[in-house]
Amino acid sequence: KGCAEMTQDEAIKILAVLTAAYPNAYKSMTPEEANGVVAVWSLQFADVPADIVFMAVNMAISSCKFPPSICEVKEKLKKLL
């Protein structure tokens, strides 16, 4: 899909949204752990446009008491694709 794929920079922005929504879940994360999370999220959503992933994350935030897993975000994606 070329430039429509989610990049690591876009994954960082999406994870920043999750951090803002669930600050306690991420407050003790080290920079190395954060880099690992970004790498996994960008790999898992590499074939999905970032704006669609962002919409799925927002859907998950509105229905999840805890930070959504990649699996939960992918469940939301099914409703959007």
Side-chain angles (χ1 to χ4, degrees):
K1 295 184 179 179
C3 62
E5 300 169 344
M6 189 167 89
T7 65
Q8 281 203 322
D9 285 343
E10 290 165 332
I12 289 169
K13 290 176 186 172
I14 287 170
L15 291 167
V17 170
L18 288 171
T19 301
Y22 305 98
N24 291 333
Y26 298 98
K27 67 181 176 186
S28 62
M29 187 179 290
T30 67
E32 293 80 16
E33 290 169 332
N35 287 338
V37 171
V38 167
V40 170
W41 276 70
S42 58
L43 177 67
Q44 287 292 314
F45 296 103
D47 60 342
V48 182
D51 58 339
I52 302 296
V53 177
F54 184 75
M55 289 172 26
V57 166
N58 277 322
M59 289 171 66
I61 287 171
S62 69
S63 62
C64 296
K65 292 180 181 180
F66 301 100
S69 65
I70 288 170
C71 181
E72 288 171 311
V73 173
K74 286 188 174 193
E75 286 293 317
K76 301 297 183 187
L77 273 176
K78 290 178 186 176
K79 297 177 180 178
L80 297 170
L81 300 175

